[in-house]
Amino acid sequence: MPKPKSCLVLFDSSAPTSKQDRADVVSKLAEVVSRTYYALEDDSIIVNFASTSKVDADFLELFRNPHDSQRAENGNGNGNGASAPQSPRERFAEDERACLKLRRSIALDRAAMFTGVSYDGVCLIGDFRGRPGRLEKVESVVRSLYRLGRVVAAFGKCVDLLRDKLFDGSMALHENHKDGVGICGSEKPAVGLARETDQDAWRDANVVTALVEETSSVDRGCQMLAEALTTYEDEARRLGRPVGLR
């Protein structure tokens, strides 16, 4: 029986100190993380979490409890007695196994020896901007998996991080991307090895990127990520290329 595929969802756990700003940042992050988690887990792909720093009780509480306005947007309390479908965020809040994984996220600022190479892929979610001291480990994990031919994904503002820090000409070229890496459209123009696309979700071989302004783009990105995690080894064999050792 083949070994199940696995993905490390790596998110930025740092947030503003202002109570309201912190709640807003964590809430937006939770929407994308929970949607990605179930898109993969429901496709029999094992998901574990890593974060830029330790997930504390306050972060977990904010992650599990949407604002009242978000509950209304999801259709709860709509006044007609109809029960709206449970959102991934609501499902996550009631899923003790998922919450335990989140609470036990690998804190990269404390995991000096962690490389991430036991996973078939990594998906970055969050901002990661303005935190240079915490980016070095994130970059190291992504570079390691990419050079082994594994799957690398970025959802949201970290698409720019992937473009500017990892595909700017400094990363060793992967055989799938000798002409540059296709990255979905973002706020900054393409540089170096990054090629801009006009799509809000894009897969280029083992690299998947998606913007998160619309739920549909996250869903498409998740679908592409699941497909990439499932097929990247077969694609490498088809092309006669080595698959990185686990």
PDB file of all heavy atoms in Angstrom, residues 208-236:
ATOM      1  N   VAL A 208       2.815  25.960  -6.683  1.00  0.00           N
ATOM      2  CA  VAL A 208       1.414  26.376  -6.725  1.00  0.00           C
ATOM      3  C   VAL A 208       1.280  27.695  -5.979  1.00  0.00           C
ATOM      4  O   VAL A 208       1.775  27.832  -4.857  1.00  0.00           O
ATOM      5  CB  VAL A 208       0.498  25.320  -6.074  1.00  0.00           C
ATOM      6  CG1 VAL A 208      -0.955  25.803  -6.077  1.00  0.00           C
ATOM      7  CG2 VAL A 208       0.626  23.978  -6.782  1.00  0.00           C
ATOM      8  N   THR A 209       0.621  28.669  -6.597  1.00  0.00           N
ATOM      9  CA  THR A 209       0.392  29.958  -5.935  1.00  0.00           C
ATOM     10  C   THR A 209      -1.064  30.368  -6.109  1.00  0.00           C
ATOM     11  O   THR A 209      -1.682  30.060  -7.122  1.00  0.00           O
ATOM     12  CB  THR A 209       1.302  31.066  -6.498  1.00  0.00           C
ATOM     13  OG1 THR A 209       1.216  31.079  -7.934  1.00  0.00           O
ATOM     14  CG2 THR A 209       2.755  30.838  -6.088  1.00  0.00           C
ATOM     15  N   ALA A 210      -1.593  31.069  -5.108  1.00  0.00           N
ATOM     16  CA  ALA A 210      -2.983  31.535  -5.180  1.00  0.00           C
ATOM     17  C   ALA A 210      -3.148  32.797  -4.356  1.00  0.00           C
ATOM     18  O   ALA A 210      -2.566  32.931  -3.280  1.00  0.00           O
ATOM     19  CB  ALA A 210      -3.939  30.452  -4.676  1.00  0.00           C
ATOM     20  N   LEU A 211      -3.938  33.720  -4.885  1.00  0.00           N
ATOM     21  CA  LEU A 211      -4.344  34.886  -4.122  1.00  0.00           C
ATOM     22  C   LEU A 211      -5.550  34.499  -3.264  1.00  0.00           C
ATOM     23  O   LEU A 211      -6.189  33.482  -3.508  1.00  0.00           O
ATOM     24  CB  LEU A 211      -4.685  36.042  -5.059  1.00  0.00           C
ATOM     25  CG  LEU A 211      -3.593  36.402  -6.074  1.00  0.00           C
ATOM     26  CD1 LEU A 211      -4.021  37.603  -6.908  1.00  0.00           C
ATOM     27  CD2 LEU A 211      -2.264  36.684  -5.379  1.00  0.00           C
ATOM     28  N   VAL A 212      -5.855  35.290  -2.261  1.00  0.00           N
ATOM     29  CA  VAL A 212      -6.908  34.869  -1.332  1.00  0.00           C
ATOM     30  C   VAL A 212      -8.038  35.882  -1.189  1.00  0.00           C
ATOM     31  O   VAL A 212      -8.841  35.798  -0.273  1.00  0.00           O
ATOM     32  CB  VAL A 212      -6.315  34.555   0.066  1.00  0.00           C
ATOM     33  CG1 VAL A 212      -5.345  33.404  -0.015  1.00  0.00           C
ATOM     34  CG2 VAL A 212      -5.655  35.791   0.675  1.00  0.00           C
ATOM     35  N   GLU A 213      -8.094  36.855  -2.116  1.00  0.00           N
ATOM     36  CA  GLU A 213      -9.167  37.833  -2.028  1.00  0.00           C
ATOM     37  C   GLU A 213     -10.537  37.187  -2.220  1.00  0.00           C
ATOM     38  O   GLU A 213     -11.531  37.624  -1.661  1.00  0.00           O
ATOM     39  CB  GLU A 213      -8.976  38.948  -3.071  1.00  0.00           C
ATOM     40  CG  GLU A 213      -7.903  39.968  -2.709  1.00  0.00           C
ATOM     41  CD  GLU A 213      -6.495  39.441  -2.982  1.00  0.00           C
ATOM     42  OE1 GLU A 213      -6.377  38.329  -3.521  1.00  0.00           O
ATOM     43  OE2 GLU A 213      -5.536  40.162  -2.665  1.00  0.00           O
ATOM     44  N   GLU A 214     -10.581  36.139  -3.038  1.00  0.00           N
ATOM     45  CA  GLU A 214     -11.827  35.427  -3.293  1.00  0.00           C
ATOM     46  C   GLU A 214     -11.687  33.977  -2.835  1.00  0.00           C
ATOM     47  O   GLU A 214     -10.647  33.350  -3.027  1.00  0.00           O
ATOM     48  CB  GLU A 214     -12.172  35.447  -4.789  1.00  0.00           C
ATOM     49  CG  GLU A 214     -12.326  36.844  -5.385  1.00  0.00           C
ATOM     50  CD  GLU A 214     -13.557  37.551  -4.858  1.00  0.00           C
ATOM     51  OE1 GLU A 214     -14.482  36.850  -4.387  1.00  0.00           O
ATOM     52  OE2 GLU A 214     -13.587  38.791  -4.915  1.00  0.00           O
ATOM     53  N   THR A 215     -12.758  33.463  -2.234  1.00  0.00           N
ATOM     54  CA  THR A 215     -12.741  32.068  -1.788  1.00  0.00           C
ATOM     55  C   THR A 215     -12.481  31.123  -2.947  1.00  0.00           C
ATOM     56  O   THR A 215     -11.803  30.110  -2.799  1.00  0.00           O
ATOM     57  CB  THR A 215     -14.092  31.719  -1.127  1.00  0.00           C
ATOM     58  OG1 THR A 215     -14.280  32.539   0.027  1.00  0.00           O
ATOM     59  CG2 THR A 215     -14.120  30.254  -0.703  1.00  0.00           C
ATOM     60  N   SER A 216     -12.984  31.474  -4.120  1.00  0.00           N
ATOM     61  CA  SER A 216     -12.828  30.599  -5.284  1.00  0.00           C
ATOM     62  C   SER A 216     -11.355  30.408  -5.640  1.00  0.00           C
ATOM     63  O   SER A 216     -10.958  29.318  -6.070  1.00  0.00           O
ATOM     64  CB  SER A 216     -13.595  31.168  -6.483  1.00  0.00           C
ATOM     65  OG  SER A 216     -13.125  32.475  -6.807  1.00  0.00           O
ATOM     66  N   SER A 217     -10.535  31.454  -5.485  1.00  0.00           N
ATOM     67  CA  SER A 217      -9.123  31.313  -5.820  1.00  0.00           C
ATOM     68  C   SER A 217      -8.407  30.418  -4.816  1.00  0.00           C
ATOM     69  O   SER A 217      -7.513  29.655  -5.173  1.00  0.00           O
ATOM     70  CB  SER A 217      -8.444  32.684  -5.887  1.00  0.00           C
ATOM     71  OG  SER A 217      -8.405  33.311  -4.621  1.00  0.00           O
ATOM     72  N   VAL A 218      -8.792  30.484  -3.539  1.00  0.00           N
ATOM     73  CA  VAL A 218      -8.224  29.582  -2.534  1.00  0.00           C
ATOM     74  C   VAL A 218      -8.607  28.142  -2.855  1.00  0.00           C
ATOM     75  O   VAL A 218      -7.775  27.238  -2.809  1.00  0.00           O
ATOM     76  CB  VAL A 218      -8.714  29.950  -1.118  1.00  0.00           C
ATOM     77  CG1 VAL A 218      -8.091  29.010  -0.083  1.00  0.00           C
ATOM     78  CG2 VAL A 218      -8.376  31.386  -0.778  1.00  0.00           C
ATOM     79  N   ASP A 219      -9.870  27.939  -3.208  1.00  0.00           N
ATOM     80  CA  ASP A 219     -10.327  26.591  -3.535  1.00  0.00           C
ATOM     81  C   ASP A 219      -9.578  26.026  -4.743  1.00  0.00           C
ATOM     82  O   ASP A 219      -9.194  24.848  -4.749  1.00  0.00           O
ATOM     83  CB  ASP A 219     -11.828  26.594  -3.812  1.00  0.00           C
ATOM     84  CG  ASP A 219     -12.650  26.812  -2.549  1.00  0.00           C
ATOM     85  OD1 ASP A 219     -12.109  26.592  -1.453  1.00  0.00           O
ATOM     86  OD2 ASP A 219     -13.825  27.207  -2.671  1.00  0.00           O
ATOM     87  N   ARG A 220      -9.365  26.859  -5.766  1.00  0.00           N
ATOM     88  CA  ARG A 220      -8.619  26.390  -6.933  1.00  0.00           C
ATOM     89  C   ARG A 220      -7.169  26.092  -6.560  1.00  0.00           C
ATOM     90  O   ARG A 220      -6.594  25.106  -7.012  1.00  0.00           O
ATOM     91  CB  ARG A 220      -8.684  27.420  -8.062  1.00  0.00           C
ATOM     92  CG  ARG A 220     -10.026  27.514  -8.739  1.00  0.00           C
ATOM     93  CD  ARG A 220      -9.923  28.223 -10.083  1.00  0.00           C
ATOM     94  NE  ARG A 220      -9.450  29.583  -9.956  1.00  0.00           N
ATOM     95  CZ  ARG A 220     -10.226  30.626  -9.670  1.00  0.00           C
ATOM     96  NH1 ARG A 220     -11.520  30.443  -9.462  1.00  0.00           N
ATOM     97  NH2 ARG A 220      -9.728  31.838  -9.586  1.00  0.00           N
ATOM     98  N   GLY A 221      -6.588  26.960  -5.739  1.00  0.00           N
ATOM     99  CA  GLY A 221      -5.220  26.715  -5.290  1.00  0.00           C
ATOM    100  C   GLY A 221      -5.105  25.417  -4.511  1.00  0.00           C
ATOM    101  O   GLY A 221      -4.154  24.651  -4.703  1.00  0.00           O
ATOM    102  N   CYS A 222      -6.066  25.147  -3.648  1.00  0.00           N
ATOM    103  CA  CYS A 222      -6.064  23.904  -2.872  1.00  0.00           C
ATOM    104  C   CYS A 222      -6.183  22.684  -3.771  1.00  0.00           C
ATOM    105  O   CYS A 222      -5.528  21.658  -3.546  1.00  0.00           O
ATOM    106  CB  CYS A 222      -7.205  23.918  -1.857  1.00  0.00           C
ATOM    107  SG  CYS A 222      -6.975  25.062  -0.477  1.00  0.00           S
ATOM    108  N   GLN A 223      -7.038  22.779  -4.791  1.00  0.00           N
ATOM    109  CA  GLN A 223      -7.185  21.676  -5.736  1.00  0.00           C
ATOM    110  C   GLN A 223      -5.882  21.415  -6.480  1.00  0.00           C
ATOM    111  O   GLN A 223      -5.456  20.268  -6.637  1.00  0.00           O
ATOM    112  CB  GLN A 223      -8.308  21.981  -6.724  1.00  0.00           C
ATOM    113  CG  GLN A 223      -8.551  20.864  -7.723  1.00  0.00           C
ATOM    114  CD  GLN A 223      -9.661  21.196  -8.711  1.00  0.00           C
ATOM    115  OE1 GLN A 223     -10.132  22.328  -8.787  1.00  0.00           O
ATOM    116  NE2 GLN A 223     -10.076  20.208  -9.474  1.00  0.00           N
ATOM    117  N   MET A 224      -5.232  22.488  -6.924  1.00  0.00           N
ATOM    118  CA  MET A 224      -3.949  22.344  -7.616  1.00  0.00           C
ATOM    119  C   MET A 224      -2.882  21.776  -6.690  1.00  0.00           C
ATOM    120  O   MET A 224      -2.063  20.951  -7.107  1.00  0.00           O
ATOM    121  CB  MET A 224      -3.498  23.707  -8.145  1.00  0.00           C
ATOM    122  CG  MET A 224      -4.364  24.279  -9.244  1.00  0.00           C
ATOM    123  SD  MET A 224      -3.856  25.979  -9.659  1.00  0.00           S
ATOM    124  CE  MET A 224      -5.125  26.422 -10.839  1.00  0.00           C
ATOM    125  N   LEU A 225      -2.895  22.205  -5.429  1.00  0.00           N
ATOM    126  CA  LEU A 225      -1.925  21.704  -4.464  1.00  0.00           C
ATOM    127  C   LEU A 225      -2.110  20.219  -4.221  1.00  0.00           C
ATOM    128  O   LEU A 225      -1.135  19.456  -4.205  1.00  0.00           O
ATOM    129  CB  LEU A 225      -2.059  22.485  -3.152  1.00  0.00           C
ATOM    130  CG  LEU A 225      -1.195  22.027  -1.972  1.00  0.00           C
ATOM    131  CD1 LEU A 225       0.282  22.014  -2.333  1.00  0.00           C
ATOM    132  CD2 LEU A 225      -1.455  22.909  -0.751  1.00  0.00           C
ATOM    133  N   ALA A 226      -3.350  19.788  -4.045  1.00  0.00           N
ATOM    134  CA  ALA A 226      -3.625  18.367  -3.836  1.00  0.00           C
ATOM    135  C   ALA A 226      -3.172  17.538  -5.038  1.00  0.00           C
ATOM    136  O   ALA A 226      -2.577  16.464  -4.889  1.00  0.00           O
ATOM    137  CB  ALA A 226      -5.110  18.153  -3.566  1.00  0.00           C
ATOM    138  N   GLU A 227      -3.443  18.042  -6.234  1.00  0.00           N
ATOM    139  CA  GLU A 227      -3.034  17.324  -7.450  1.00  0.00           C
ATOM    140  C   GLU A 227      -1.513  17.254  -7.546  1.00  0.00           C
ATOM    141  O   GLU A 227      -0.945  16.210  -7.909  1.00  0.00           O
ATOM    142  CB  GLU A 227      -3.607  18.022  -8.679  1.00  0.00           C
ATOM    143  CG  GLU A 227      -5.116  17.890  -8.811  1.00  0.00           C
ATOM    144  CD  GLU A 227      -5.678  18.754  -9.929  1.00  0.00           C
ATOM    145  OE1 GLU A 227      -4.914  19.583 -10.473  1.00  0.00           O
ATOM    146  OE2 GLU A 227      -6.876  18.607 -10.237  1.00  0.00           O
ATOM    147  N   ALA A 228      -0.842  18.368  -7.224  1.00  0.00           N
ATOM    148  CA  ALA A 228       0.622  18.390  -7.303  1.00  0.00           C
ATOM    149  C   ALA A 228       1.240  17.417  -6.300  1.00  0.00           C
ATOM    150  O   ALA A 228       2.197  16.704  -6.617  1.00  0.00           O
ATOM    151  CB  ALA A 228       1.130  19.810  -7.058  1.00  0.00           C
ATOM    152  N   LEU A 229       0.699  17.383  -5.084  1.00  0.00           N
ATOM    153  CA  LEU A 229       1.223  16.469  -4.061  1.00  0.00           C
ATOM    154  C   LEU A 229       1.036  15.003  -4.460  1.00  0.00           C
ATOM    155  O   LEU A 229       1.867  14.150  -4.156  1.00  0.00           O
ATOM    156  CB  LEU A 229       0.520  16.731  -2.725  1.00  0.00           C
ATOM    157  CG  LEU A 229       0.896  18.031  -2.016  1.00  0.00           C
ATOM    158  CD1 LEU A 229      -0.133  18.366  -0.938  1.00  0.00           C
ATOM    159  CD2 LEU A 229       2.289  17.931  -1.405  1.00  0.00           C
ATOM    160  N   THR A 230      -0.050  14.748  -5.164  1.00  0.00           N
ATOM    161  CA  THR A 230      -0.364  13.372  -5.565  1.00  0.00           C
ATOM    162  C   THR A 230       0.456  12.913  -6.757  1.00  0.00           C
ATOM    163  O   THR A 230       0.795  11.732  -6.874  1.00  0.00           O
ATOM    164  CB  THR A 230      -1.870  13.263  -5.899  1.00  0.00           C
ATOM    165  OG1 THR A 230      -2.639  13.689  -4.761  1.00  0.00           O
ATOM    166  CG2 THR A 230      -2.238  11.824  -6.249  1.00  0.00           C
ATOM    167  N   THR A 231       0.825  13.834  -7.645  1.00  0.00           N
ATOM    168  CA  THR A 231       1.418  13.429  -8.927  1.00  0.00           C
ATOM    169  C   THR A 231       2.874  13.819  -9.121  1.00  0.00           C
ATOM    170  O   THR A 231       3.467  13.455 -10.137  1.00  0.00           O
ATOM    171  CB  THR A 231       0.610  14.045 -10.092  1.00  0.00           C
ATOM    172  OG1 THR A 231       0.688  15.484 -10.020  1.00  0.00           O
ATOM    173  CG2 THR A 231      -0.847  13.618 -10.028  1.00  0.00           C
ATOM    174  N   TYR A 232       3.492  14.545  -8.198  1.00  0.00           N
ATOM    175  CA  TYR A 232       4.827  15.092  -8.491  1.00  0.00           C
ATOM    176  C   TYR A 232       5.872  13.993  -8.707  1.00  0.00           C
ATOM    177  O   TYR A 232       6.767  14.130  -9.544  1.00  0.00           O
ATOM    178  CB  TYR A 232       5.280  16.062  -7.385  1.00  0.00           C
ATOM    179  CG  TYR A 232       5.832  15.424  -6.139  1.00  0.00           C
ATOM    180  CD1 TYR A 232       7.197  15.202  -5.988  1.00  0.00           C
ATOM    181  CD2 TYR A 232       4.984  15.041  -5.107  1.00  0.00           C
ATOM    182  CE1 TYR A 232       7.712  14.626  -4.835  1.00  0.00           C
ATOM    183  CE2 TYR A 232       5.484  14.466  -3.961  1.00  0.00           C
ATOM    184  CZ  TYR A 232       6.857  14.258  -3.826  1.00  0.00           C
ATOM    185  OH  TYR A 232       7.349  13.667  -2.677  1.00  0.00           O
ATOM    186  N   GLU A 233       5.759  12.882  -8.005  1.00  0.00           N
ATOM    187  CA  GLU A 233       6.720  11.794  -8.193  1.00  0.00           C
ATOM    188  C   GLU A 233       6.525  11.109  -9.538  1.00  0.00           C
ATOM    189  O   GLU A 233       7.501  10.792 -10.232  1.00  0.00           O
ATOM    190  CB  GLU A 233       6.592  10.789  -7.051  1.00  0.00           C
ATOM    191  CG  GLU A 233       7.078  11.320  -5.714  1.00  0.00           C
ATOM    192  CD  GLU A 233       6.834  10.343  -4.586  1.00  0.00           C
ATOM    193  OE1 GLU A 233       5.702   9.837  -4.480  1.00  0.00           O
ATOM    194  OE2 GLU A 233       7.777  10.087  -3.816  1.00  0.00           O
ATOM    195  N   ASP A 234       5.268  10.877  -9.918  1.00  0.00           N
ATOM    196  CA  ASP A 234       4.981  10.256 -11.209  1.00  0.00           C
ATOM    197  C   ASP A 234       5.464  11.140 -12.360  1.00  0.00           C
ATOM    198  O   ASP A 234       5.993  10.653 -13.360  1.00  0.00           O
ATOM    199  CB  ASP A 234       3.479  10.002 -11.361  1.00  0.00           C
ATOM    200  CG  ASP A 234       2.981   8.932 -10.409  1.00  0.00           C
ATOM    201  OD1 ASP A 234       3.810   8.104  -9.974  1.00  0.00           O
ATOM    202  OD2 ASP A 234       1.775   8.930 -10.092  1.00  0.00           O
ATOM    203  N   GLU A 235       5.284  12.454 -12.197  1.00  0.00           N
ATOM    204  CA  GLU A 235       5.726  13.381 -13.230  1.00  0.00           C
ATOM    205  C   GLU A 235       7.241  13.344 -13.377  1.00  0.00           C
ATOM    206  O   GLU A 235       7.777  13.356 -14.491  1.00  0.00           O
ATOM    207  CB  GLU A 235       5.260  14.800 -12.883  1.00  0.00           C
ATOM    208  CG  GLU A 235       5.642  15.866 -13.892  1.00  0.00           C
ATOM    209  CD  GLU A 235       4.901  15.738 -15.214  1.00  0.00           C
ATOM    210  OE1 GLU A 235       3.983  14.895 -15.322  1.00  0.00           O
ATOM    211  OE2 GLU A 235       5.241  16.478 -16.158  1.00  0.00           O
ATOM    212  N   ALA A 236       7.939  13.279 -12.245  1.00  0.00           N
ATOM    213  CA  ALA A 236       9.398  13.220 -12.292  1.00  0.00           C
ATOM    214  C   ALA A 236       9.866  11.939 -12.986  1.00  0.00           C
ATOM    215  O   ALA A 236      10.794  11.959 -13.802  1.00  0.00           O
ATOM    216  CB  ALA A 236       9.968  13.293 -10.880  1.00  0.00           C
TER     217      ALA A 236
END
